[in-house]
Amino acid sequence: MKKRMESLDDKLFRPLTAAQQQRITAGFTPVTDTAITLRETYGEAHDYIRDGDNE
Amino acid sequence: MTTSEPGAASANREPVFTLFACCIPVQGARRSVVCDLQRQSFQFIPNGLYEILSEHAGKTVAEIKAIYGHEYDEEIDEYFAFLLHHEFGFWSSDPERFPALDLAWETPERITNAILDVDEGSRHDYGAILRQLDDLGCKALEVRCFHRCSLRELRAILEAARHGRLRSIDLLAGHGPELTPDALEGLAREHPRISRIVVHSAPERRQMPPLRTGVTIEYRTEVIDSPRCCGQIHPGYFVVDFETFAEGQKHNTCLNRKLSVDARGEIKNCPSMTRSFGNVREVSLHSALAQRDFAALWSINKDQIAICRDCEFRYVCTDCRAYLRDAADLYSKPSKCTYDPYTAEWQPPADVPAGIHTKGAPE
Ligand code: SF4
């Protein structure tokens, strides 16, 4: 059966607000990749000129 | 917005809408989402649009409108404008050139993440535990101190991790007079593996600006005095990234490759669970892991869990197998989730914290 095409304006499809995404306790989610990994790869101050092999 | 160069073979083909590989629609009972794994966000979409993106992928707009008997032409135009606006995809005459992401999840580590619980009565040998976690390849450790902590205690734990291979340490500690923002900043500088510090039972709520290294330090008034505080399901804990999404296809998003040592030294899947695989003072983490049932819960994924399997959040929601709606049914929904995917409503609404007991307030 084909679905009814609802309008995106319906309140059902509004993005969650910042308040709705606030953590409600200080609990943690399991982290397997960390901010540190990201920083290593995407660090703003990354030195792309030196490449280790050809210092 | 990218549009592929039509090749010679496709020059005469009508462009079709193609989702970026990292933008993946997930259907729920009442509504769906498009998860943008690169931007780490999601948007709600109607199930009708999900149907267009899945069943009618590769069809032109004219074909799609015709399939629906031109009853929804306006809505369909609105849908594609929405998808373009959010940069979920592009028009392409060569959709075959853009294959889907491979969501197979593999990792060389036997354990990727661990929890270590500590209270006043704990007698952990941190050096021994951390060395064993290293051997297992553990990358992320969460240390949860339920009691009022001194800096000396926190240092003892962190020193044990100083030369290991952990990539991140999340610290939860009970408020004590020594845990000032300056002292914690100093600790984070001394131990760059720290990624986050949360001080619970604090007299007031305070969020320090993130350090230059990205470490966050936060004071919370909630009293987190036992593992029972864990298991919350809430949009604030959703993790929208490739790692979690891929892992969630076939594995449990909380317990997979996790090992925990509770405050008494019992080795468990999760400190909130009763089943122990031995005490860390007598049994090595390796032999606990080698026991037949240790990994039994790792493969319980959301597609197998009642109600969750109909929820649009199922691949971004971190699961809980410790607190279940039906304790006798391992495949029942987490008891602390108040979301109903059949009505798309949170009870109470997501912005009203539920059941959290703050310092000084009755539970
Ligand atoms: S119903 Fe299941 S998948 Fe959906 S939010 Fe609740 S726990 Fe997560």
Side-chain angles (χ1 to χ4, degrees), chain A residues 21, chain B residues 22 34-42 235 237-245 315-317:
Chain A
Q21 294 180 73
Chain B
C22 60
V34 177
C35 294
D36 184 336
L37 304 182
Q38 198 165 326
R39 291 192 168 127
Q40 310 200 329
S41 60
F42 62 79
Y237 301 108
F238 290 168
V239 183
V240 191
D241 66 13
F242 179 74
E243 176 83 7
T244 308
F245 196 95
Y315 304 128
V316 300
C317 168

Side-chain angles (χ1 to χ4, degrees), chain B residues 282-301:
Chain B
E282 290 136 22
V283 177
S284 72
L285 298 186
H286 282 86
S287 28
L289 190 58
Q291 289 182 43
R292 205 162 49 91
D293 293 347
F294 195 92
L297 306 174
W298 290 3
S299 56
I300 299 185
N301 60 66

Side-chain angles (χ1 to χ4, degrees), chain B residues 170-324:
Chain B
D170 277 14
L171 263 187
L172 174 73
H175 185 260
E178 291 180 14
L179 304 192
T180 60
D182 283 349
L184 295 179
E185 269 188 50
L187 206 62
R189 261 194 292 275
E190 271 170 56
H191 298 276
R193 285 159 215 264
I194 294 179
S195 53
R196 180 165 176 232
I197 303 178
V198 177
V199 177
H200 66 83
S201 314
E204 60 178 0
R205 197 179 168 138
R206 241 173 121 184
Q207 169 91 50
M208 313 311 294
L211 306 189
R212 213 171 44 82
T213 49
V215 178
T216 56
I217 299 175
E218 209 180 320
Y219 291 82
R220 308 285 301 233
T221 52
E222 291 92 345
V223 179
I224 301 178
D225 52 5
S226 82
R228 284 189 302 280
C229 300
C230 196
Q232 304 289 339
I233 306 281
H234 186 269
Y237 301 108
F238 290 168
V239 183
V240 191
D241 66 13
F242 179 74
E243 176 83 7
T244 308
F245 196 95
E247 191 175 10
Q249 304 293 309
K250 297 264 183 302
H251 304 281
N252 189 271
T253 43
C254 180
L255 297 177
N256 187 37
R257 305 281 174 121
K258 172 179 261 128
L259 185 149
S260 304
V261 176
D262 78 4
R264 302 282 72 77
E266 300 300 329
I267 305 167
K268 298 176 172 180
N269 293 121
C270 153
S272 294
M273 292 179 157
T274 46
R275 170 91 194 261
S276 168
F277 294 86
N279 194 286
V280 72
R281 294 196 160 267
E282 290 136 22
V283 177
S284 72
L285 298 186
H286 282 86
S287 28
L289 190 58
Q291 289 182 43
R292 205 162 49 91
D293 293 347
F294 195 92
L297 306 174
W298 290 3
S299 56
I300 299 185
N301 60 66
K302 291 278 194 193
D303 288 324
Q304 300 168 323
I305 296 170
I307 303 175
C308 296
R309 69 168 78 97
D310 296 324
C311 177
E312 64 275 22
F313 301 125
R314 63 190 176 278
Y315 304 128
V316 300
C317 168
T318 37
D319 190 42
C320 174
R321 289 297 91 202
Y323 301 108
L324 301 176

Side-chain angles (χ1 to χ4, degrees), chain A residues 1-17 19-40, chain B residues 30-31 44-46 48 51 67-68 72 75 78-79 82 112 139-140 142 167-168 170 172 192-193 196 198 205 213 220 222 232 234-237 243 253 258 356:
Chain A
M1 198 189 76
K2 290 195 202 74
K3 293 254 174 348
R4 197 167 58 85
M5 299 289 146
E6 294 167 283
S7 168
L8 283 159
D9 291 336
D10 193 293
K11 73 174 192 331
L12 211 55
F13 310 117
R14 276 187 215 143
L16 294 176
T17 61
Q20 288 169 325
Q21 294 180 73
Q22 283 262 325
R23 295 189 165 195
I24 49 176
T25 67
F28 297 102
T29 49
V31 178
T32 50
D33 264 315
T34 67
I36 292 170
T37 319
L38 290 174
R39 274 203 304 282
E40 280 166 5
Chain B
R30 177 66 189 87
R31 63 181 171 186
F44 296 110
I45 58 166
E51 187 174 87
I67 288 169
Y68 292 95
Y72 296 113
E75 286 82 358
E78 183 197 12
Y79 289 173
F82 167 89
T112 56
K139 297 191 284 190
E142 187 184 316
R167 302 185 78 112
S168 85
D170 277 14
L172 174 73
R193 285 159 215 264
R196 180 165 176 232
V198 177
R205 197 179 168 138
T213 49
R220 308 285 301 233
E222 291 92 345
Q232 304 289 339
H234 186 269
Y237 301 108
E243 176 83 7
T253 43
K258 172 179 261 128
I356 304 303

